Amino acid sequence: MTVKRVAAVDCGTNSVRLLIADISCGELTDVERRMEIVRLGQGVDRTGRLAPEALERTFTAMRDYRKLIEQHGATATRVVATSATRDADNRQEFVDGVREIFGVEPEVVSGAEEAELSFTGATKGLLHLSLETGVPDGPLPPYLVVDIGGGSTEFVVGTDHVLGALSVDIGCVRLTERHLRDAGDPPSAEALERVVADIEAALDRIESEVPVRQARTLVGLAGSVTTVAGIALGLPAYDPERIHHAILSAEEVHNVTRRLVAMTHGERAAVPVMHPGRVDVIGAGALILDRIVRRFAFPQVVVSEHDILDGIAWSIS
């Protein structure tokens, strides 16, 4: 039996993450999974450039990741960067820094490539899970996989292959910086309406270009979704095993979103499952999920801890 140990690095707008995994006989087994909030996309929506301090935060986290990759003896590494880096005029500074740290060229992937990687990571185990549950409202294909990031959100419809995909520039960091940064604590109703208007405009485009109405199951990925799930489940601390493949009703999504956007910064920070790096952006992230559920009338959302990071690992297997 051949086992290949790989390392996947996902550098997004809000966080940089590492997965070291063993791949054998069609199974992926975690060796190490890490996440650091670095806010690489700080100010990119306004300036079009990656800030020097954001780059240094990112590189510091990556240097720690390189040490882990070396310690665990991964034989192949792939580094993928997404929305913030795509949008930045000075992205070559990022590319040069990553190459120096890992010894490999980082790939600044397109929105379509990001969507496909997210779909692969999220759905590898869902067909098997559907057969196990055998219930009509279980996670049955076609799936709509929604990856709510810091700078963009990816929408992918598919079964065992992608039927349609699109990346749109609505993300929890981008919308927070655009509308909520100076909108009060908690934010004003007018500011929240502007966030919703941006989301709905993006969903208009999604509905016209992606076959979302064919989907039977909504699958939600990334930190905004998993945080909403942790709150809905009433967890005393963040627990990925409890959150992975949890099923939230539409009403639970609506209720948690209403609570989050009505909280002050201090109240959000006191939520047990809340990562400190998500406190200021979780309201916008929850609103994106909430509007998707409402717009396309999904009765529930399947929450996945497996996402683009797992898709990157599978791609180098």
Side-chain angles (χ1 to χ4, degrees):
M1 182 174 63
T2 301
V3 178
K4 184 174 183 179
R5 180 161 292 182
V6 300
V9 179
D10 166 40
C11 191
T13 301
N14 198 42
S15 64
V16 58
R17 300 181 303 144
L18 168 70
L19 171 61
I20 301 172
D22 287 338
I23 298 180
S24 177
C25 299
E27 297 283 339
L28 185 150
T29 304
D30 285 15
V31 175
E32 190 90 44
R33 195 180 284 259
R34 296 288 183 93
M35 186 272 289
E36 294 289 338
I37 300 286
V38 295
R39 197 62 59 83
L40 177 63
Q42 169 193 327
V44 168
D45 188 59
R46 177 176 53 83
T47 68
R49 295 181 63 81
L50 299 168
E53 61 271 26
L55 282 166
E56 188 49 44
R57 289 193 300 266
T58 303
F59 294 155
T60 297
M62 286 180 167
R63 291 184 191 103
D64 290 339
Y65 289 173
R66 181 193 62 198
K67 293 175 184 175
L68 287 169
I69 291 168
E70 291 171 350
Q71 288 170 13
H72 288 294
T75 58
T77 299
R78 185 181 183 191
V79 183
V80 166
T82 54
S83 177
T85 314
R86 281 198 300 267
D87 295 345
D89 294 335
N90 62 333
R91 72 182 191 178
Q92 192 60 44
E93 294 178 41
F94 170 84
V95 170
D96 292 343
V98 173
R99 188 192 305 112
E100 181 181 344
I101 292 167
F102 291 112
V104 298
E105 192 81 8
E107 301 171 54
V108 184
V109 297
S110 69
E113 290 173 295
E114 182 178 357
E116 293 226 18
L117 288 168
S118 295
F119 185 82
T120 298
T123 61
K124 270 281 188 179
L126 281 180
L127 281 169
H128 180 67
L129 185 64
S130 299
L131 294 173
E132 280 185 343
T133 58
V135 293
D137 60 348
L140 300 175
Y143 308 112
L144 169 60
V145 174
V146 175
D147 187 346
I148 301 174
S152 64
T153 296
E154 284 64 55
F155 292 75
V156 197
V157 175
T159 51
D160 58 345
H161 63 282
V162 173
L163 301 173
L166 188 67
S167 177
V168 288
D169 284 341
I170 52 169
C172 59
V173 174
R174 190 185 298 271
L175 293 180
T176 297
E177 290 188 347
R178 188 178 291 172
H179 299 299
L180 302 181
R181 184 70 72 205
D182 303 309
D185 188 23
S188 67
E190 293 77 14
L192 293 174
E193 287 172 4
R194 290 193 292 272
V195 173
V196 170
D198 273 9
I199 297 168
E200 289 295 336
L203 295 184
D204 287 343
R205 185 180 170 204
I206 291 296
E207 188 158 19
S208 67
E209 299 185 38
V210 181
V212 287
R213 298 292 181 181
Q214 294 181 23
R216 298 173 67 186
T217 300
L218 173 63
V219 183
L221 316 183
S224 292
V225 178
T226 57
T227 300
V228 168
I231 297 169
L233 294 170
L235 299 181
Y238 194 90
D239 184 346
E241 290 189 4
R242 291 279 306 277
I243 290 171
H244 186 50
H245 287 165
I247 297 177
L248 305 184
S249 69
E251 192 58 33
E252 286 175 313
V253 173
H254 303 331
N255 288 341
V256 171
T257 301
R258 280 194 292 266
R259 286 169 55 194
L260 286 170
V261 298
M263 287 178 174
T264 64
H265 184 278
E267 289 169 339
R268 292 192 303 275
V271 173
V273 300
M274 188 75 65
H275 188 288
R278 298 203 189 281
V279 174
D280 58 336
V281 299
I282 187 60
L287 279 169
I288 295 169
L289 177 63
D290 184 66
R291 300 314 299 187
I292 293 167
V293 170
R294 291 178 185 274
R295 175 68 169 263
F296 303 120
F298 283 103
Q300 59 193 26
V301 54
V302 178
V303 180
S304 178
E305 284 276 349
H306 294 178
D307 51 26
I308 186 174
L309 195 58
D310 302 77
I312 296 167
W314 280 114
S315 75
I316 52 177
S317 62

